[in-house]
Amino acid sequence: MKKPKRANAAKAKKSPKTSVSRSKAAPKRLAKSPAKSPAKSLAKPLAKRPAKAARREASADNGAKVVRGLRSKLKQALQRVAELEAAADTDFLLEIPNRRGFERELARAIAYMKRYRASGALIVLDVDRLKPINDSFGHAAGDEVLKTIATALKRQVRASDVVGRLGGDEFALLLWNLSETDAKAKAAAFEQAIDELSFVFRGQHVSAGASAGVALLGAQSDASRALEEADAAMYVRKAHRRHEPRIRLVSS
């Protein structure tokens, strides 16, 4: 019965050693798996940051490209609008202001005259017997006559003056700083310059004249009324010129 006691005592002696050995072994396991250092824990976020920055830069570059593209398209659209507005105010055949363009220039001129007490003259000029030329030789011949007359009129005016086509065979001229005497003399000079033009169609010599009416412009002028006044004066002049022998359609 004593032997079992010795065995129990031996076990009791051995058991503390095993507990101590286990307690000593535990720190060794902890040492094998040390805690992660702060540098390693920050490594992943630092690696992610450049990728996010790159995406932001790429997004900013794409946005800048879109803005540049929109600005370019806007510039082209505005340029196209300006071209269309200029075309709407220009006679496509003679490349001078049409009625709309000339009336706009006339309104601007009168506004300037009202502000600065300037003066000028409006001359409405109608080509005599253009219709018989179109009927006899075709509209291409009439177009050539109109082009030559427009060139002759532009040659007779200053850079600040305006030559326009009101429609058909009717022209208008806006002249600055002319007295009534000078304006009437200028109208007569226009008539003479056109009377002296000569054309050859189908072997025949053709000439056409013009009748001009004058209206003075000043601070009290109105654009519509000035056009009506010059137009009425032109028809009076045309009635007188019908009896002048120098106007002819075809001559040998």
Side-chain angles (χ1 to χ4, degrees):
M1 298 296 292
K2 291 181 179 179
K3 287 183 180 179
K5 290 182 178 179
R6 289 178 184 175
N8 291 337
K11 289 180 180 180
K13 289 180 180 179
K14 289 181 181 179
S15 61
K17 291 182 179 179
T18 55
S19 62
V20 171
S21 63
R22 287 176 184 173
S23 62
K24 289 182 180 179
K28 288 182 180 180
R29 292 195 192 100
L30 293 174
K32 288 181 181 179
S33 58
K36 296 178 181 178
S37 63
K40 289 183 178 180
S41 63
L42 293 175
K44 289 184 179 179
L46 288 175
K48 291 180 180 178
R49 284 174 190 173
K52 291 182 178 178
R55 286 196 293 270
R56 290 195 199 101
E57 291 177 1
S59 178
D61 291 340
N62 292 334
K65 289 179 181 178
V66 171
V67 171
R68 286 195 297 269
L70 292 175
R71 287 177 177 173
S72 177
K73 290 180 180 179
L74 177 61
K75 184 178 180 181
Q76 294 175 2
L78 291 175
Q79 184 177 356
R80 181 57 179 163
V81 169
E83 291 174 355
L84 291 174
E85 288 179 349
D89 292 340
T90 304
D91 185 88
F92 72 95
L93 177 65
L94 306 181
E95 297 183 350
I96 59 177
N98 57 18
R99 188 180 193 94
R100 174 185 170 183
F102 185 84
E103 287 180 350
R104 186 185 64 183
E105 293 297 327
L106 179 60
R108 287 179 179 176
I110 291 177
Y112 180 91
M113 293 173 187
K114 289 180 179 179
R115 183 173 182 180
Y116 297 103
R117 299 293 175 182
S119 62
L122 170 65
I123 297 178
V124 172
L125 186 146
D126 189 82
V127 179
D128 293 329
R129 304 187 69 181
L130 182 65
K131 187 177 184 303
I133 294 176
N134 285 329
D135 293 341
S136 300
F137 305 103
H139 287 278
D143 290 346
E144 184 177 341
V145 172
L146 291 174
K147 289 178 182 179
T148 305
I149 290 175
T151 302
L153 293 175
K154 288 188 288 185
R155 196 180 295 123
Q156 296 281 331
V157 301
R158 298 160 294 186
S160 59
D161 300 331
V162 182
V163 179
R165 183 187 182 189
L166 299 181
D169 54 1
E170 195 169 58
F171 292 84
L173 300 99
L174 171 60
L175 309 176
W176 288 90
N177 301 322
L178 288 181
S179 64
E180 183 177 1
T181 302
D182 293 337
K184 290 181 178 180
K186 196 67 177 176
F190 290 145
E191 290 179 350
Q192 182 178 355
I194 295 173
D195 287 343
E196 293 174 354
L197 296 176
S198 180
F199 307 89
V200 178
F201 300 120
R202 300 175 189 170
Q204 294 180 313
H205 293 272
V206 177
S207 65
S211 303
V214 180
L216 298 180
L217 300 175
Q220 305 301 322
S221 297
D222 176 78
S224 299
R225 190 176 303 169
L227 281 168
E228 292 175 0
E229 183 181 343
D231 200 54
M234 179 270 294
Y235 279 109
V236 171
R237 177 60 177 159
K238 183 180 283 288
H240 288 296
R241 279 175 60 88
R242 284 174 183 167
H243 305 288
E244 296 180 8
R246 60 182 175 176
I247 302 176
R248 63 194 187 280
L249 174 61
V250 178
S251 64
S252 60

